[in-house]
Amino acid sequence: MTNEGGTGVKDQPGQAGLADVLTLQRRAFESSTPADERTLFQDTLAEYCWARDVAGLAAKTLQTLVAPVLEICTFYDVVPWRLTSRELDRYFAGPGKPGRHTTMRSKLTRIDGYFAFLEQRYAGEIMRRFGAAVESPVDAFNRPRHRGDFGLRIPPSARAMKEFFASWRDALPTSRKYPVSARNYVMSKLTYISGVRAAELCAVRMGDVHWENGQWGRFLVFGKGANGSGPREREAFLFQEGRDLLWWYVEQIRGEFRDDAGDPHAPLFPSERLPKSVAALNMPIAPAVLPDTFRRAVKLASREYLKGTVTELFPHLRRHACATHNYESGMPLWDVQVLLGHTWASTTVGYLATAKGDPERQSLESSRRAVRRLTLES
């Protein structure tokens, strides 16, 4: 039996209630406007940032958390729940394609994270008000995969590193730009001694060096936070070799650059090139050297001075070398973990994949012990 309006819905309590719900949803959808969708979009962005702030992400991370979402939505002039997988593919394969796979992977991960938030908290409201289903455009087919990022990184031996830095140091006086070459040399050796990352070292300011801390002095860096929570301030260690090296650099090299080395906000490792906009302001502080500039300098130096099976260095490989060589020399795992600034010991263990546990040597010693035991028994 149908109702008098001829809608075909049987006159039963449950189905009548469903018809009422569908009618309310249809009325809400018909009365909604594009302005309403954009308003809700802005509200969801704000709430997403608040939620991630509560979760413990750093302020700098929060600033970039929704940037990829805004980027692609602005390009297509749509709200996120109107975005399709095909549109995302066209954008990141064409006008939005970054130069590095890691950058694109980071953007897609952030977009996917925002859609997970939408699905959890706003999917019902969006369907009710706008008739749109919330579904991430990052699907099983365009979801990024790591491309060899976790391959075994084999650092040079401790002897090869010692010879590498000795050869580089001997060649400094004959370099075309002595202050720049000396800066690159000091930075490279400090990443090996202290285990800091390239981006962390480039951001160190003159006032971040605390010569009185600890036994040989320490310096502040903004390191990676656990689980992508953003930069976290920590102390990096100099040890005696690093203190002597950095003291020589500050006393004899740092003043050769064009800015005021006495300003505590000046970069410890400045760029030798001042952009025209900065030079026109006649500011006392030069920009810091860029991590990519530092990486290129290290690569060129390693090709010229590094001998052995490993012939090319990059900053993160020296971080692996720092962990491996300290562990091999007797430093406990916990201290290596503190040195690298890791939250979890399991992360540190991944840096020690090539540490010399030497199963062959242990096997020989076991065989010798067995021979001695049998000899004594006979």
Side-chain angles (χ1 to χ4, degrees):
M1 180 177 180
T2 60
N3 57 12
E4 295 181 358
T7 59
V9 178
K10 294 184 178 180
D11 193 8
Q12 297 180 7
Q15 293 176 341
L18 178 60
D20 292 339
V21 171
L22 293 175
T23 300
L24 290 174
Q25 288 184 350
R26 184 170 61 252
R27 289 176 180 175
F29 173 69
E30 291 173 352
S31 62
S32 65
T33 64
D36 294 333
E37 292 195 70
R38 293 191 180 92
T39 300
L40 183 61
F41 176 30
Q42 297 300 323
D43 291 344
T44 61
L45 290 177
E47 186 176 341
Y48 181 52
C49 289
W50 293 338
R52 302 309 293 154
D53 186 22
V54 172
L57 269 68
K60 185 177 180 181
T61 303
L62 291 175
Q63 294 174 4
T64 60
L65 195 62
V66 295
V69 180
L70 290 170
E71 176 185 333
I72 191 169
C73 288
T74 301
F75 179 81
Y76 285 113
D77 193 23
V78 295
V79 291
W81 46 88
R82 304 291 183 184
L83 191 64
T84 66
S85 297
R86 286 189 177 90
E87 289 174 329
L88 184 138
D89 294 343
R90 285 197 299 269
Y91 179 70
F92 283 109
K97 186 174 184 177
R100 301 174 61 187
H101 174 71
T102 53
T103 303
M104 182 163 64
R105 186 177 66 212
S106 175
K107 288 184 176 183
L108 292 178
T109 301
R110 290 172 182 172
I111 292 172
D112 201 34
Y114 169 73
F115 269 90
F117 168 80
L118 282 185
E119 292 170 4
Q120 183 73 23
R121 297 196 182 184
Y122 281 95
E125 181 179 352
I126 292 171
M127 173 59 75
R128 184 173 59 255
R129 293 181 57 186
F130 310 117
V134 176
E135 185 176 358
S136 175
V138 184
D139 57 23
F141 302 100
N142 56 22
R143 192 174 303 278
R145 295 288 185 269
H146 294 288
R147 295 183 180 175
D149 291 3
F150 301 112
L152 183 63
R153 289 172 174 171
I154 303 177
S157 65
R159 177 180 177 179
M161 292 297 292
K162 184 177 180 179
E163 293 175 351
F164 163 66
F165 285 118
S167 300
W168 194 357
R169 178 68 181 265
D170 292 341
L172 287 180
T174 60
S175 58
R176 188 171 65 90
K177 294 182 178 180
Y178 177 70
V180 175
S181 299
R183 178 204 66 193
N184 296 336
Y185 165 78
V186 171
M187 293 180 69
S188 181
K189 195 165 186 178
L190 273 183
T191 56
Y192 174 60
I193 294 172
S194 63
V196 298
R197 302 175 180 87
E200 294 173 346
L201 189 62
C202 290
V204 175
R205 302 170 299 179
M206 296 296 295
D208 292 332
V209 182
H210 299 279
W211 302 101
E212 72 285 357
N213 284 10
Q215 187 170 353
W216 295 290
R218 300 173 186 175
F219 59 99
L220 295 178
V221 297
F222 284 87
K224 292 170 61 177
N227 298 322
S229 60
R232 291 291 186 270
E233 192 176 58
R234 67 179 176 89
E235 279 190 325
F237 298 84
L238 282 171
F239 302 105
Q240 183 173 3
E241 186 179 15
R243 179 187 177 90
D244 295 340
L245 177 69
L246 191 59
W247 188 270
W248 168 76
Y249 168 77
V250 171
E251 286 287 306
Q252 299 189 30
I253 306 298
R254 181 61 181 84
E256 297 294 325
F257 291 87
R258 299 168 58 182
D259 65 337
D260 181 9
D263 193 315
H265 297 287
L268 180 61
F269 301 105
S271 172
E272 72 276 14
R273 296 177 180 176
L274 289 179
K276 293 182 179 179
S277 57
V278 176
L281 296 175
N282 196 25
M283 297 177 65
I285 300 176
V289 62
L290 297 176
D292 284 344
T293 302
F294 172 44
R295 293 186 183 100
R296 285 194 298 270
V298 172
K299 183 181 293 186
L300 292 174
S302 65
R303 290 174 178 173
E304 188 168 356
Y305 305 116
L306 183 63
K307 308 300 180 184
T309 55
V310 182
T311 58
E312 187 170 289
L313 275 178
F314 49 91
H316 210 74
L317 189 59
R318 283 198 306 282
R319 182 170 163 86
H320 281 254
C322 171
T324 301
H325 298 163
N326 277 290
Y327 184 73
E328 289 176 345
S329 64
M331 182 179 287
L333 177 63
W334 164 250
D335 291 330
V336 177
Q337 178 184 347
V338 174
L339 176 63
L340 299 185
H342 287 156
T343 302
W344 308 104
S346 57
T347 307
T348 309
V349 171
Y351 280 68
L352 306 176
T354 59
K356 293 181 179 178
D358 206 344
E360 295 174 339
R361 179 174 57 84
Q362 295 295 334
S363 177
L364 289 173
E365 290 183 358
S366 177
S367 299
R368 294 190 187 105
R369 287 195 298 269
V371 170
R372 286 195 298 268
R373 186 168 59 251
L374 291 173
T375 303
L376 290 174
E377 290 177 355
S378 61

